[in-house]
Amino acid sequence: MPFETTATIASFGGKLLKLAHKATSTSCEMKLNLYLPPQSSSSDKKIPVLFYLAGLTCTGDNGAEKGFLQHAASKKGIAVVYPDTSPRGLQIEGEDDAYDFGSGAGFYVDATKEPWTKGYKMYTYITEELPKALFESFKQLDGSRMSITGHSMGGHGALTIFLKNPGKYRSVSAFAPISNPINCPWGEKAFKGYFGEDQQQKWKEHDASELVKQWKGPLDILIDVSQTNVYLNSQLTIPSHPAQGTGDNFYKQGQLLPENFVKAAKESGDDKKVELRMQPDYDHSYFFISTFADDHVEHAAKHLLAW
């Protein structure tokens, strides 16, 4: 369906578009932000695209207005897409009862358990319907060059979507991702609700720490969480107590578990390269994201701008 542009905002020399369109996968109108860098209007070449998936309770506005991926994207000539995190207003009983399930908490999966099958199909929306609609409506976007990143629940989405679709995305990175959802309270609640408690195999199909075990070939991933910089690959060991000094309470509570992902990547032994940077003192907010946003755009640019 065509997009309605509800606002156009100047940002870092480019334009941030507030968009809305009717989506069939989610059975509702979906809103999003699209950043078009200055190169999109001054070059005959199509520009690559970076998808940013937001976390629990967020909309497409949060990352666009507080994450500031546009800063580096404007320099590199990369468009940034900021989608919503769930369908809205489907009138499903309980969809607005909790911050970590239902509205604002679609977990980037396609629900298979009633009543959530009605429109909670964020995996299909992000991987199929939204990009197709964008590339049809905005001819300056290059559908052959996509990367993906995200924060928290969106970091989970970015990692799993990348790993489930080899070759579709040029790169992936994540800010404080929910890295092993089958073993944390947020993930367990979401997967019970969207898939059913007895669908353990389905749970694993949307868990980055499980999916990375099946990955074949090189893997280049940047993950930022907290405390001192730690580079991990198949040659190095994981620190036994990396949580000391971190300011991210959700990390402390065992919601993120990035070490589990790194350990699984290491043990799979397919020449993987995973950089887990433990940043000092930062919390789980957009102050953290905006501080390291340039690094994640640079990470994507390495792959998006390589011909």
Side-chain angles (χ1 to χ4, degrees):
M1 298 292 292
F3 291 92
E4 174 190 2
T5 303
T6 60
T8 301
I9 303 166
S11 179
F12 294 100
K15 294 179 179 180
L16 182 68
L17 307 181
K18 304 282 186 179
L19 304 175
H21 71 130
K22 295 187 182 299
T24 57
S25 54
T26 57
S27 302
C28 68
E29 180 183 76
M30 296 294 288
K31 295 180 179 180
L32 63 142
N33 286 245
L34 170 63
Y35 177 67
L36 296 174
Q39 294 87 342
S40 66
S41 58
S42 61
S43 174
D44 293 333
K45 294 182 179 179
K46 290 191 174 186
I47 57 175
V49 183
L50 175 62
F51 285 81
Y52 169 84
L53 306 185
L56 292 167
T57 76
C58 290
T59 69
D61 292 336
N62 295 81
E65 297 173 5
K66 296 189 288 186
F68 300 121
L69 279 74
Q70 301 98 287
H71 176 255
S74 69
K75 297 178 180 180
K76 294 294 184 180
I78 297 172
V80 186
V81 180
Y82 300 94
D84 204 348
T85 54
S86 76
R88 303 282 174 173
L90 296 185
Q91 306 301 313
I92 297 175
E93 184 178 356
E95 70 175 334
D96 297 320
D97 289 355
Y99 82 94
D100 55 358
F101 186 79
S103 295
F107 267 83
Y108 304 101
V109 301
D110 285 354
T112 57
K113 182 180 178 182
E114 298 295 341
W116 307 100
T117 56
K118 176 182 178 182
Y120 276 75
K121 299 185 182 298
M122 288 300 293
Y123 178 82
T124 294
Y125 176 70
I126 295 296
T127 61
E128 297 178 20
E129 185 172 6
L130 178 58
K132 183 175 185 293
L134 284 169
F135 298 138
E136 287 177 352
S137 296
F138 297 91
K139 300 300 184 183
Q140 63 268 58
L141 302 181
D142 187 348
S144 69
R145 290 187 291 160
M146 298 188 296
S147 285
I148 192 165
T149 187
H151 171 237
S152 193
M153 177 185 71
H156 144 77
L159 290 172
T160 55
I161 286 171
F162 178 86
L163 293 169
K164 287 172 70 66
N165 295 275
K168 189 179 184 75
Y169 301 90
R170 295 285 185 94
S171 70
V172 64
S173 69
F175 303 86
I178 302 173
S179 306
N180 190 196
I182 66 173
N183 287 314
C184 78
W186 277 340
E188 291 171 1
K189 179 177 180 178
F191 289 179
K192 285 178 184 177
Y194 293 133
F195 299 138
E197 190 166 4
D198 60 340
Q199 299 298 311
Q200 296 297 311
Q201 182 56 41
K202 193 71 174 176
W203 291 28
K204 291 182 179 181
E205 292 172 7
H206 290 275
D207 185 306
S209 294
E210 295 293 325
L211 290 169
V212 76
K213 296 175 183 177
Q214 279 75 52
W215 185 267
K216 302 299 181 184
L219 192 61
D220 184 4
I221 299 179
L222 172 63
I223 299 174
D224 275 314
V225 182
S226 278
Q227 222 213 345
T228 54
N229 287 357
V230 180
Y231 182 77
L232 297 170
N233 61 24
S234 59
Q235 307 300 316
L236 301 181
T237 58
I238 299 172
S240 58
H241 298 289
Q244 296 174 0
T246 180
D248 190 328
N249 286 329
F250 297 121
Y251 177 80
K252 294 177 183 179
Q253 294 166 13
Q255 296 282 18
L256 308 181
L257 305 175
E259 296 87 359
N260 291 4
F261 177 79
V262 173
K263 181 179 179 182
K266 177 185 173 184
E267 290 177 351
S268 63
D270 290 319
D271 192 29
K272 297 172 177 61
K273 178 184 175 184
V274 176
E275 188 176 7
L276 173 62
R277 305 193 308 185
M278 307 298 284
Q279 305 292 358
D281 302 325
Y282 290 91
D283 59 16
H284 202 68
S285 75
Y286 275 89
F287 293 109
F288 166 64
I289 298 167
S290 60
T291 300
F292 300 103
D294 283 7
D295 292 350
H296 286 252
V297 175
E298 290 280 355
H299 176 79
K302 286 191 307 182
H303 303 272
L304 290 171
L305 303 180
W307 293 91

